[in-house]
Amino acid sequence: MSKNNHNLAVRKSMSEWFTIKEAIQVAKRMAKIELTEGDIYRYALSRYIYLSIYFQSPVLLRKVKKINQKLKLRPSGDSLIQQLCMLESSSFTKKRNLMFSTKGKYFLSSQRVIDTDLSGHEYVLVQRLLALSLHLPLPVTGANENNFGITVYIDGESFQIFEKTTWLKRIGHQLSLLSEPVAQDITEKISEYKNEQHHRAGYFPLYDLPTDACFVIRHSELDKLIGLYRGSSSASSTVTRMSTPLSRLFWLACKHNQAISPLIRQPYKLLSIFEQWASDDGITDRLSGDTLKNALERGSPSSASLPH
């Protein structure tokens, strides 16, 4: 067996995803690279690579609406009980009455490992992990001051994580997150409302990861990180040889392809699609996320006024 075939056999026998600690060991053993947890979190926060979340238990998802590729927000409701149950505790006490706007059915995901583009509060969770890995103070609010919930990313769409429970249990849980004086005041106020409906079930956003969930990294993303960490001179030389007109055509082809246009601003997600297409057509060349990223940036209309 040739060395390349042996490496391919080893790769196929390995897991599709790794914990962060496992990824560090794999990079050291297979690529002779000394990665750290901080390296992985930094590259993820910079969106050079994408992390995934391993859910050991099933989670409820619902699609998040978008406006101009940004996640849409809406008021949580007019009633005090709705605001208490639907908002994150800090947003509730500060009267920031906004939450993600979702649509469609709530469904249990059959996937255990789901990608995230860090569009929601998970970005701040990774910031905290980075701070811990570097022995830095934890972020006070993080990059996103408001916590609108945890999101995941499936086939170019964002989904929010929910839980299904009774209104009564949700009220009790939300009150437990408030300071005692505030919780007592809210309890007195909502006691005036009729509570015969509190035993009915409802769907409520989760504002933190489930206790049995954790961030992981897919094998393909680890490969990408290793390539970025090493630095690819071949990618750089390819970019310098790519003309602006050719980059324009490449951007237009991606923009007007319905299957890939949602990912045009996320080239490292787009890379996996090109790799699959290449594999299907028998192309075995190693594709570069850096080349793809730079070509799309060079070909974008926003770069038309820049010197080349």
Side-chain angles (χ1 to χ4, degrees):
M1 180 182 292
S2 69
K3 183 176 179 181
N4 287 341
N5 288 338
H6 175 72
N7 288 340
L8 181 61
V10 170
R11 286 168 59 98
K12 286 184 176 180
S13 68
M14 297 175 71
S15 175
E16 180 194 354
W17 58 269
F18 307 104
T19 66
I20 303 303
K21 292 186 183 297
E22 286 175 336
I24 293 169
Q25 295 302 315
V26 169
K28 182 177 182 180
R29 185 173 68 251
M30 302 295 293
K32 310 301 180 186
I33 287 179
E34 297 286 346
L35 287 178
T36 67
E37 290 186 34
D39 291 327
I40 295 175
Y41 297 137
R42 269 193 291 246
Y43 276 93
L45 290 171
S46 299
R47 292 186 168 86
Y48 286 112
I49 62 168
Y50 290 89
L51 296 178
S52 303
I53 303 174
Y54 173 42
F55 296 98
Q56 297 188 75
S57 302
V59 288
L60 277 166
L61 303 178
R62 196 184 195 201
K63 185 180 292 187
V64 183
K65 296 180 181 179
K66 290 184 179 180
I67 296 181
N68 298 325
Q69 298 303 312
K70 292 185 178 181
L71 303 186
K72 183 180 179 181
L73 300 174
R74 69 169 179 86
S76 66
D78 296 327
S79 76
L80 184 62
I81 290 179
Q82 272 191 311
Q83 293 175 12
L84 172 67
C85 290
M86 293 299 179
L87 296 174
E88 187 266 337
S89 57
S90 177
S91 295
F92 173 76
T93 55
K94 294 177 181 178
K95 302 186 184 302
R96 295 171 176 165
N97 187 22
L98 287 174
M99 60 185 292
F100 283 137
S101 178
T102 57
K103 65 180 179 179
K105 294 182 178 179
Y106 298 89
F107 65 95
L108 280 173
S109 173
S110 60
Q111 302 179 47
R112 288 291 173 266
V113 176
I114 310 178
D115 298 338
T116 175
D117 63 354
L118 303 184
S119 292
H121 185 63
E122 63 277 6
Y123 187 99
V124 177
L125 297 183
V126 175
Q127 281 190 299
R128 291 176 183 172
L129 291 172
L130 175 60
L132 288 171
S133 69
L134 299 177
H135 306 290
L136 297 174
L138 293 177
V140 177
T141 62
N144 304 328
E145 185 177 358
N146 298 321
N147 180 353
F148 296 119
I150 303 295
T151 67
V152 292
Y153 195 76
I154 304 173
D155 295 333
E157 298 288 349
S158 295
F159 296 82
Q160 185 172 10
I161 300 175
F162 286 81
E163 68 170 351
K164 183 179 181 181
T165 187
T166 65
W167 282 80
L168 187 61
K169 288 183 178 179
R170 179 70 173 191
I171 289 170
H173 176 265
Q174 294 296 90
L175 288 173
S176 71
L177 301 176
L178 304 176
S179 65
E180 187 173 343
V182 173
Q184 185 175 352
D185 179 56
I186 297 300
T187 301
E188 291 174 358
K189 288 180 179 178
I190 63 177
S191 65
E192 301 172 4
Y193 295 87
K194 294 180 180 180
N195 59 10
E196 59 266 20
Q197 298 296 320
H198 289 177
H199 291 283
R200 63 187 174 90
Y203 296 93
F204 306 97
L206 287 184
Y207 289 102
D208 205 345
L209 280 182
T211 55
D212 63 348
C214 64
F215 289 101
V216 298
I217 183 170
R218 291 190 186 275
H219 200 148
S220 57
E221 295 299 306
L222 178 59
D223 283 348
K224 190 185 304 176
L225 175 57
I226 290 172
L228 290 168
Y229 198 82
R230 282 175 168 166
S232 175
S233 59
S234 60
S236 299
S237 62
T238 301
V239 172
T240 58
R241 291 196 302 269
M242 184 173 289
S243 67
T244 298
L246 184 58
S247 296
R248 295 273 189 261
L249 290 173
F250 179 62
W251 185 90
L252 286 168
C254 292
K255 177 65 176 178
H256 293 280
N257 184 308
Q258 293 183 354
I260 61 178
S261 60
L263 302 178
I264 199 167
R265 294 185 179 180
Q266 301 177 55
Y268 291 100
K269 280 282 188 184
L270 197 56
L271 178 64
S272 62
I273 296 177
F274 277 91
E275 288 177 334
Q276 183 60 54
W277 288 349
S279 176
D280 292 344
D281 289 317
I283 299 173
T284 59
D285 302 68
R286 179 69 175 172
L287 304 181
S288 167
D290 282 340
T291 301
L292 184 58
K293 176 176 180 291
N294 283 293
L296 288 171
E297 289 177 351
R298 188 181 182 92
S300 171
S302 61
S303 70
S305 61
L306 299 178
H308 295 287

